[in-house]
Amino acid sequence: MAQKAVKTLAAANTKRLNTTLAFTLGIHLVFWLFRALVFRSSFTRKSLLLYLALASPQLFINFLFEKQSRPVNAPDGSIKRAGEDLEAKGLTEYLWDVTYWTYGVLVLVTFLGDWAWIFWGIIPVYSVWLAWSTYSGMRGGYQDAAGVPQPGAATSKRQAKLEKRGGQKVQYR
């Protein structure tokens, strides 16, 4: 059972990347088919430029995921590199949000028209909100839901109980 974690990560990455690739191709193919066959009159240079400008970040993100997270196998069949974890928190999570939101906007644009591209503008607003909340959290010293600063792992359960009862106070330096 050597490298079980590597094998598990490689299998999970492969499955998720294959699903994402199929979904991306399907969404974009439906978009182009509807634009070419059903809504032929709305197929203009403006709509092409909007598509290229607003769908290309999602396509770039998919390329990035493929490049960084697709497992690489050695010639003997063993796993040479499992790739980056696609379930990671932080930036990877945000990139998945952009991908899924772009899917939704593409579906809306497919059936409602070019004016629905305005929904894609929510992504930069969400980015600014995330950046601000991260900045204010770091500046404020990471507080809990009640707004009470957390000193970290410095207090044990016993110390917390004593402080709650008003007993022995622990002074932090």
Side-chain angles (χ1 to χ4, degrees):
M1 282 253 223
Q3 300 180 343
K4 183 177 180 189
V6 171
K7 291 176 184 178
T8 304
L9 179 62
N13 281 353
T14 302
K15 182 180 177 189
R16 183 131 190 220
L17 287 172
N18 289 341
T19 303
T20 302
L21 181 63
F23 208 71
T24 299
L25 290 175
I27 292 281
H28 287 271
L29 184 66
V30 167
F31 172 81
W32 283 108
L33 285 175
F34 265 76
R35 284 296 169 131
L37 301 176
V38 178
F39 300 119
R40 198 177 300 205
S41 63
S42 67
F43 194 61
T44 62
R45 174 178 276 166
K46 177 186 165 194
S47 66
L48 177 65
L49 289 175
L50 280 171
Y51 172 79
L52 289 175
L54 299 176
S56 59
Q58 184 261 327
L59 295 171
F60 178 72
I61 288 169
N62 281 4
F63 172 75
L64 212 69
F65 283 157
E66 284 288 331
K67 196 81 171 147
Q68 293 178 348
S69 300
R70 179 70 66 179
V72 177
N73 293 328
D76 64 349
S78 64
I79 297 172
K80 188 175 182 180
R81 185 179 69 86
E84 299 295 322
D85 185 12
L86 290 173
E87 298 294 326
K89 301 289 182 205
L91 182 62
T92 305
E93 199 173 38
Y94 173 72
L95 293 176
W96 282 115
D97 291 345
V98 171
T99 298
Y100 296 143
W101 190 257
T102 304
Y103 288 160
V105 170
L106 270 172
V107 168
L108 288 175
V109 170
T110 299
F111 297 111
L112 300 178
D114 282 338
W115 70 268
W117 281 114
I118 198 162
F119 290 114
W120 203 88
I122 292 173
I123 293 173
V125 172
Y126 179 62
S127 300
V128 169
W129 178 79
L130 275 177
W132 175 255
S133 63
T134 302
Y135 168 73
S136 62
M138 288 189 323
R139 194 184 77 211
Y142 291 108
Q143 301 174 349
D144 68 358
V148 177
Q150 297 298 309
T155 60
S156 66
K157 288 182 182 180
R158 183 174 179 264
Q159 287 173 336
K161 278 184 179 180
L162 285 172
E163 287 178 10
K164 186 177 178 183
R165 281 191 256 157
Q168 180 183 3
K169 299 283 183 188
V170 178
Q171 292 182 348
Y172 299 100
R173 296 181 188 190

